[in-house]
Amino acid sequence: MGGTMTAESVERRVQWPVPPLDGYTVDDLFTLPDLPPHTELIDGSLVFVSPQRRFHGNVVDLLVFGLRNSGLPAEFKVSREMTVVLDRRNGPEPDVSVIRTDAITGQDQTSYQADDVVLAVEVVSPESESRDRTTKPQKYAAAGIPNFWRVEASGADGRPVVHVYEIDSLTHAYVHMGMHRDRIKVDKPYPIDIDLTAIDNL
């Protein structure tokens, strides 16, 4: 009985998309039906994210609120979990982005261009550690995004630790500018001051 396949059970099986010979493009990312939420495109391959952990969601909430309440200039907006089109074969989804206000086209918008992004933030999860530490920063830098933050959980108290990077105009690679534990206070892309210990209240 357990091995019997009915038409109904076959229909319920997950049908994974078969990749084209040369990989997917960003056009596929936006048009393929039934992709899981927050699917990313990295080097022509679809990347499906794991269920979100509480730390991840709370850090994203904390940073979005903090970035918006640090005297956000009118020329910038803060967005969470939106695809950024780097090139034809790469459409990652930073956890948080600061974008240029003139890049906003409306409520139905599903992506931004790399040129529109002035800060990309990735909150590291166990399953995304390699992408968040290596793959994505390299691609963000190559695309010219001037600022990048990598956020990890402190081993001591579980609070967020923010690693701040700025792009080097000569090498087009990120340079580590500092590590922030209890408070992040930086001048780029605009004066930002966020109390990271506030995560205890979330």
Side-chain angles (χ1 to χ4, degrees):
M1 176 175 164
T4 302
M5 297 291 290
T6 66
E8 184 179 25
S9 64
V10 169
E11 288 177 0
R12 284 201 305 262
R13 292 176 61 190
V14 175
Q15 298 295 313
W16 298 107
V18 178
L21 183 62
D22 295 326
Y24 292 106
T25 67
V26 290
D27 290 336
D28 298 320
L29 181 64
F30 297 127
T31 57
L32 282 171
D34 302 322
L35 287 179
H38 310 300
T39 299
E40 300 182 287
L41 181 69
I42 306 292
D43 291 329
S45 295
L46 298 176
V47 177
F48 306 130
V49 300
S50 298
Q52 188 176 101
R53 296 167 188 255
R54 186 171 184 271
F55 171 81
H56 188 282
N58 283 351
V59 170
V60 171
D61 287 343
L62 176 70
L63 294 180
V64 168
F65 179 83
L67 288 166
R68 287 175 176 164
N69 287 275
S70 286
L72 181 68
E75 63 263 33
F76 296 138
K77 295 290 186 185
V78 179
S79 187
R80 62 181 294 161
E81 299 166 333
M82 285 279 287
T83 298
V84 173
V85 178
L86 305 181
D87 56 43
R88 185 170 174 269
R89 292 167 53 82
N90 287 280
E93 185 181 281
D95 292 308
V96 183
S97 302
V98 176
I99 57 169
R100 303 181 198 281
T101 299
D102 59 12
I104 303 295
T105 60
Q107 296 298 328
D108 293 331
Q109 188 169 359
T110 58
S111 66
Y112 305 116
Q113 298 297 312
D115 289 346
D116 300 328
V117 182
V118 297
L119 169 64
V121 181
E122 293 290 353
V123 181
V124 177
S125 298
E127 61 87 23
S128 67
E129 186 173 342
S130 176
R131 293 193 302 275
D132 292 341
R133 286 184 172 180
T134 306
T135 306
K136 287 187 179 182
Q138 289 175 351
K139 292 185 179 299
Y140 292 152
I145 295 175
N147 302 278
F148 172 71
W149 295 358
R150 189 185 81 242
V151 188
E152 304 195 16
S154 166
D157 53 23
R159 287 176 176 165
V161 177
V162 182
H163 295 265
V164 173
Y165 297 83
E166 293 179 13
I167 202 166
D168 183 301
S169 59
L170 295 178
T171 63
H172 303 289
Y174 285 130
V175 177
H176 190 255
M177 303 302 293
M179 181 176 66
H180 303 258
R181 290 188 178 273
D182 294 330
R183 179 177 296 274
I184 178 166
K185 193 170 184 178
V186 294
D187 295 328
K188 295 180 180 178
Y190 58 94
I192 297 166
D193 187 355
I194 303 174
D195 177 10
L196 299 176
T197 68
I199 196 169
D200 295 344
N201 301 319
L202 297 179

